[in-house]
Amino acid sequence: MAGRPTAFVNARMIDPESRYDGPGCLVVTEGVIADIARRPGLEGLSEDVRVVDCNGAMLAPGLIDLRVKTGEPGAEPKETLKSAARAAAAGGVTSMVLQPDTDPTIDDPAMVDFILRRARDIELVHVYAAGAATKGCEGQRMAELGLMREAGAVYFTDVDRPIVDSKVMGRVLRYAHAFGARVAHRPADPYLSAGAAATAGEFSGRLGLPSVPAVAERIMLERDLAMAELTGAALLVDQITTAGALESLRRARDRGVNVAATASINHLSFNELDIGDYRTFYRLDPPLRSEDDRQALVEAVASGLVEVIVSAHAPAPAEDKRLPFAEAAPGAVGLETLLPAILALHHDGRAPLLDLISAATLAPARLLGLRAGRLAAGAPADLVLCDIDAPVVIDADRLISKSKNSPFDGRRLQGQVLMTLVDGRVVHQAEQ
Amino acid sequence: MDTDADIEASIRRRAFAFPHRHFLSVHGLSRPDAEQLLDLADAFVAVNRRADKKLGLLRGRTLVNLFFEASTRTMSSFELAAKRLGADTIAMSPRTSSMTKGETLIDTAVTLNAMRPDLLVVRHSASGAASLLAQKVSCSVVNAGDGWHEHPTQALLDALTLRRAFGKVEGLTVAICGDVMHSRVARSNVGFLQLLGARVRLVGPPTLMPPGVDRWGAEVFHDMRKGVAGVDVVMMLRLQLERMDGAFVPSTREYSRFFGLDAEMLAHAAPHVRVMHPGPMNRGVEIESGVADDPGVSLIQDQVEMGVAARMAVLASLAARLAEGVEV
C-alpha cells in the first residue's frame, strides 16, 4: 500500500497510551498513523483511500518483544534473523530485541553494527540489539557499553548468565546509566542454580531431577535491587518468576528504586507440573515454578508491578531437545504464540485485555524510548489486526521458526493474527 | 520339594500378560499387578534352585541389555534371567558402542530397535531416560535404573525377599536409611512397599532428603535411633563416597557415626529385624560387616538370588503380552 493511504474501519481499537478499548478506525499514510477516531468509521474519506474493514477484530499496536534469541551469528541451523523475523511478523510482533549471547558475542560496537545491518536487509520487522554487559557475557570485564550504545544497543545484559561479582554488577549498572541505558539481569543465585533442571519441590523430588529452590531468584534479586539503589542506576529484572521475588520487587518499587521487570509468557502460562513425563519442551531456564508462583506472576502483570511480557524466544533444534530432561537444552520458541498466549490470560479472566496488550506494546516501547507501542497520530504504523476469539490449535511443526520447540504444541488457544503492519507495510497476512 | 512338573505347572498357572507395554516405574502398577508379579517370581525361585534352570518361555525372543552406566550385578542378573527363560541376549555399553562418538541416546535406541529386539533393558544416569526411550522404540522397555528416578525391578526383588522372609509385606514397618535424595532404589521402594501395604520410614541427614519428601506418605527421621526404633526391616542405601567429603555430609567417619548401621544401632529395631542393602556395600561406612554378614539378620544374599527370579517374572510377563499380539 505504498503511497496510497489505508483506512482501517470497524475495529475494536486498543490504545494502551490513552487507555482506550472500543470501536475505532485509523488511517495510515506513508508509514505513520495519520488520523485516528473513536468511532467505527470515518466520514469524508477521499476515494483514493484503500479501506480495510476489520469486522470488529482487534486493532492494536504491534507487539514489542524485549527478549528474542536467534541462532545468528554462530548457530544458524537453530534460527536465522530472517526466520525469526518471519515468525515475528506472523505472530504480530513488529519489534524485537536480539540477545547478545551469540557466537561471537555481541560485545563490541562492530558486532552491534553488523547485526543491525544484517537485520535491516531483511526488511520485515524492526530489529534492535541488546549488547553484552561484560566481555563474552563472562561477568568479568565490562564490555564497551558507551560505544555499543552509540552503535545502537538498546540495553545491556549477559542474558542467561548472572553477573556473580557484585563489584562488576555495580560498575556495569553505574556506567551504563551514564549512557542512558538500562542493565537487564536475570536473578539467579549461581551456586544454588548450578546443574538444576527444575524447581525444588515435591514434583522434582519425585521425578529425581536436579533442582533449584525458588529462593535462588529472590537472593540474587535482593542483591541487584540493593546495587540499583546504591548506584541510582536503572535495572531491568529479566524474567521474574517467583512470588518471593515479586515481594522483593514490590518493596524496592515502594522505596523508589529505578527498576522495571519482565515476565516470560511461558511462566505466565505453565507451571512445574507441565513437565509431566519429562517433556523437554517444558525444560526452561528459569525452570517452571509452582502454580502459586504462576498465579502471583499473572497478578503482578495485571497490577502493573511487572510491566513487560516477553516471549523469551529461544530456539532449540530437535537434537538438543530429544535428550533426557536434565541434559536437554533449555528454552522455548515463542514469537508466533506470544499473542494468543497473552489472549489466553484475558479469556481466563485473569487480566483486562488493555493491560495485557500494554505489557507487550507500550511498556516495552517506553523502556526503549520508542514512538511505537501506541495508536496516536504521528506514531509509526506498526499494527496488528487480530481476531481474538478465533480458535487456533498450535501445531509446532507448522511454526515458521526453524526450531519447533514450542511448549504450546497441541494447545488450544484463541487469537488469530489477520494482518501485521510495520511502518505501514503489510508484513504478514493470514490466508483467507 | 516339588517335582519339576509341579514347578512348571505352577508357572503356567501364575503366568499372566502384563497390562503395560513397558516396565518403567512402580507408579501406575495396581496391587493385583504387583501381587501377580510376586507370585510368578516366587515360582521362578524354585526353577532357579534346580539343576536344569532352563525354561522356554522366551524362546526365540531377543533381549538387549543397554547399560550406559556400569553395573555388573544388575546387568548379569538380567542376562541370567533372560537366558534361563530361553531368550537370546546381547549386551551393549557406551564404552564399546558409538555413544562415545557423539551418537545420542535416541539414535542408539533407534538403531537397536531396527534390529527388532523384543525387550530392551536400559540403565542410564539421567532421570527419565527409560521413559524417553520407550517413546521411540517399538519393543518393550525395562527400566534398569534411570538417574535418581526409579529402579523398579529392585523394588520388586526387595518385596519378594521380604515376602519370603516374613510371609507378607502388608503391615511391615520398613526404615529406608541413607542417601534418599540421590536414590532411585528409595523412590521405587517407597512406592512399591506402600502399594503392598507396608509402612515406610525414611531416615537420613536433611541434606540427603529430596525436596518435598514430607509429602511422600512416609515418616521422615533425621535421628537414626528413632528412625529404626521398633522397625521390622532396615533397608540401607548406598552412599556415593564423593558425596561424603563435605558436599552433603562432613566426612565418612561422621556419617558412619550417625547414620551407619552396626549391631548397637540395630538393637533399637524389633527383635526379629532383618537388614537389606541393594549393593554394592561400603562396608564400615553405611553398614558394618558384622551386620551385613550375620545370616540371622542379613537378607542381602537373598536379595541377589531374588533379583534373578524377579527379573524373570518381569520379562516373562512382558513377553506374554507380546505373544498375545496386543502391541506390534
Side-chain angles (χ1 to χ4, degrees):
Chain A
M1 56 188 79
R4 195 174 162 207
T6 306
F8 292 85
V9 301
N10 288 325
R12 173 177 177 181
M13 198 167 74
I14 297 212
D15 175 38
E17 189 178 46
S18 61
R19 298 198 57 75
Y20 179 74
D21 175 358
C25 58
L26 61 73
V27 179
V28 172
T29 310
E30 298 192 341
V32 298
I33 299 170
D35 200 0
I36 186 161
R38 291 182 175 186
R39 54 181 186 277
L42 286 167
E43 291 113 47
L45 286 173
S46 79
E47 280 180 20
D48 195 30
V49 173
R50 197 175 80 104
V51 174
V52 175
D53 187 345
C54 301
N55 285 318
M58 177 186 80
L59 184 64
L63 307 191
I64 299 172
D65 191 344
L66 288 186
R67 198 188 211 273
V68 173
K69 293 191 192 192
T70 77
E72 196 168 337
E76 285 79 1
K78 278 191 204 178
E79 187 89 291
T80 59
L81 286 173
K82 186 163 192 172
S83 63
R86 287 179 54 221
V93 175
T94 52
S95 296
M96 57 182 187
V97 180
L98 302 176
Q99 300 300 287
D101 58 340
T102 45
D103 182 17
T105 311
I106 303 177
D107 62 358
D108 69 25
M111 281 302 299
V112 173
D113 191 53
F114 162 79
I115 202 79
L116 293 181
R117 263 189 297 116
R118 289 277 299 149
R120 257 193 303 277
D121 293 343
I122 293 164
E123 291 187 327
L124 270 173
V125 300
H126 299 294
V127 177
Y128 300 92
T134 65
K135 293 197 171 90
C137 293
E138 286 173 350
Q140 308 283 328
R141 292 170 303 139
M142 209 188 302
E144 292 174 322
L145 306 185
L147 290 174
M148 281 195 282
R149 183 79 175 133
E150 217 170 50
V154 290
Y155 68 83
F156 297 103
T157 178
D158 279 357
V159 199
D160 297 325
R161 295 171 70 173
I163 298 173
V164 180
D165 188 329
S166 301
K167 193 184 281 178
V168 174
M169 183 64 181
R171 287 175 180 163
V172 165
L173 275 167
R174 215 188 290 263
Y175 194 84
H177 191 54
F179 286 90
R182 204 171 268 273
V183 175
H185 193 244
R186 222 201 81 201
D189 179 282
Y191 302 104
L192 287 170
S193 309
T199 302
E202 185 190 359
F203 192 64
S204 70
R206 284 186 186 279
L207 289 183
L209 290 174
S211 62
V212 53
V215 293
E217 179 170 285
R218 177 157 63 90
I219 290 169
M220 185 56 100
L221 179 61
E222 286 286 358
R223 193 237 19 203
D224 291 349
L225 293 168
M227 293 309 294
E229 194 165 13
L230 177 72
T231 58
L235 176 68
L236 177 63
V237 184
D238 178 28
Q239 296 181 82
I240 197 166
T241 59
T242 62
L246 288 167
E247 266 308 305
S248 300
L249 178 66
R250 189 189 318 277
R251 283 197 299 272
R253 183 71 55 72
D254 290 347
R255 286 200 306 276
V257 177
N258 187 352
V259 56
T262 70
S264 97
I265 190 63
N266 300 317
H267 294 87
L268 290 166
S269 306
F270 305 114
N271 66 32
E272 58 188 350
L273 300 181
D274 285 299
I275 292 170
D277 188 17
Y278 302 99
R279 286 178 291 179
T280 56
F281 281 7
Y282 297 89
R283 164 100 164 85
L284 303 174
D285 186 19
L288 287 171
R289 307 299 192 184
S290 70
E291 175 62 9
D292 287 348
D293 285 325
R294 187 190 76 84
Q295 292 196 15
L297 188 61
V298 173
E299 177 62 29
V301 169
S303 73
L305 176 64
V306 170
E307 297 93 334
V308 177
I309 300 175
V310 296
S311 74
H313 185 81
E319 59 267 28
D320 291 349
K321 282 290 188 185
R322 289 172 58 198
L323 291 169
F325 192 82
E327 295 170 12
V333 292
L335 282 166
E336 289 161 82
T337 47
L338 179 59
L339 185 52
I342 286 174
L343 292 171
L345 298 172
H346 163 66
H347 290 303
D348 289 349
R350 303 304 301 265
L353 184 58
L354 186 61
D355 295 330
L356 290 166
I357 294 296
S358 181
T361 55
L362 182 65
R366 282 185 171 152
L367 282 178
L368 299 182
L370 302 178
R371 282 282 290 142
R374 65 207 85 197
L375 301 184
D382 293 352
L383 303 169
V384 58
L385 183 65
C386 177
D387 179 347
I388 65 167
D389 297 316
V392 288
V393 180
I394 306 298
D395 178 354
D397 290 335
R398 295 184 60 194
L399 294 176
I400 292 168
S401 278
K402 288 179 84 172
S403 293
K404 312 296 182 190
N405 53 310
S406 171
F408 290 95
D409 185 30
R411 300 261 170 169
R412 292 165 189 280
L413 299 173
Q414 282 172 276
Q416 190 185 11
V417 175
L418 303 174
M419 194 186 289
T420 307
L421 290 91
V422 172
D423 287 335
R425 278 179 302 119
V426 176
V427 293
H428 170 79
Q429 192 155 14
E431 290 159 27
Q432 291 307 308
Chain B
M1 192 72 196
D2 295 339
T3 66
D4 286 1
D6 290 340
I7 291 170
E8 284 172 27
S10 115
I11 286 169
R12 271 195 301 278
R13 202 167 57 243
R14 295 173 187 192
F16 74 112
F18 195 59
H20 306 277
R21 180 170 156 200
H22 308 291
F23 191 70
L24 302 177
S25 161
V26 300
H27 295 95
L29 293 181
S30 67
R31 178 86 182 252
D33 295 343
E35 299 285 3
Q36 274 190 297
L37 277 173
L38 288 168
D39 289 344
L40 183 57
D42 210 28
F44 284 127
V45 175
V47 175
N48 289 334
R49 291 179 175 177
R50 309 192 299 196
D52 177 6
K53 301 176 177 62
K54 199 101 172 176
L55 294 168
L57 291 172
L58 257 65
R59 187 175 298 118
R61 300 286 184 192
T62 311
L63 175 142
V64 177
N65 264 323
L66 181 58
F67 276 57
F68 294 95
E69 220 181 40
S71 165
T72 316
R73 344 173 131 229
T74 306
M75 188 148 99
S76 25
S77 182
F78 269 107
E79 187 167 347
L80 268 182
K83 287 194 163 141
R84 286 180 181 171
L85 291 170
D88 297 313
T89 67
I90 61 158
M92 306 258 309
S93 57
R95 269 177 293 282
T96 57
S97 80
S98 49
M99 273 299 288
T100 43
K101 287 182 261 170
E103 194 177 24
T104 67
L105 168 67
I106 288 185
D107 290 336
T108 305
V110 167
T111 304
L112 285 174
N113 192 49
M115 300 176 195
R116 302 198 152 267
D118 302 288
L119 295 150
L120 192 57
V121 178
V122 183
R123 156 76 58 99
H124 195 279
S125 61
S127 299
S131 149
L132 177 64
L133 273 191
Q135 292 161 27
K136 307 290 176 185
V137 297
S138 52
C139 58
S140 286
V141 175
V142 179
N143 183 5
D146 63 324
W148 309 341
H149 179 226
E150 284 228 31
H151 191 359
T153 59
Q154 178 76 39
L156 186 65
L157 77 88
D158 286 341
L160 179 62
T161 307
L162 287 176
R163 207 169 78 156
R164 290 176 65 97
F166 288 91
K168 60 177 182 169
V169 175
E170 180 147 15
L172 292 177
T173 301
V174 182
I176 301 178
C177 306
D179 182 0
V180 177
M181 178 188 272
H182 302 102
S183 177
R184 50 189 170 224
V185 174
R187 282 180 181 76
S188 286
N189 260 311
V190 170
F192 202 60
L193 289 170
Q194 288 176 340
L195 177 68
L196 294 171
R199 293 210 326 226
V200 179
R201 297 181 181 180
L202 296 169
V203 183
T207 46
L208 290 173
M209 286 291 160
V213 70
D214 52 313
R215 279 180 274 176
W216 286 18
E219 253 190 298
V220 177
F221 294 85
H222 304 309
D223 178 338
M224 188 156 171
R225 283 169 209 277
K226 290 182 184 155
V228 302
V231 300
D232 304 298
V233 181
V234 177
M235 185 181 283
M236 297 305 296
L237 299 173
R238 176 181 165 77
L239 180 59
Q240 307 282 333
L241 292 173
E242 65 269 21
R243 295 196 172 120
M244 276 189 281
D245 60 357
F248 290 88
V249 291
S251 66
T252 307
R253 69 176 186 182
E254 180 159 338
Y255 184 78
S256 100
R257 164 82 172 74
F258 294 106
F259 298 99
L261 186 67
D262 57 13
E264 193 203 324
M265 182 69 80
L266 201 57
H268 296 275
H272 57 263
V273 68
R274 308 305 295 272
V275 172
M276 305 174 84
H277 192 298
M281 290 179 277
N282 296 306
R283 289 171 179 270
V285 180
E286 74 253 3
I287 190 164
E288 288 296 324
S289 286
V291 172
D293 300 336
D294 178 351
V297 167
S298 173
L299 293 173
I300 296 170
Q301 289 309 312
D302 304 63
Q303 287 175 275
V304 178
E305 183 188 356
M306 294 310 129
V308 178
R311 284 160 187 139
M312 287 169 81
V314 170
L315 298 178
S317 312
L318 288 170
R321 179 186 169 85
L322 292 175
E324 284 187 353
V326 186
E327 294 282 342
V328 180

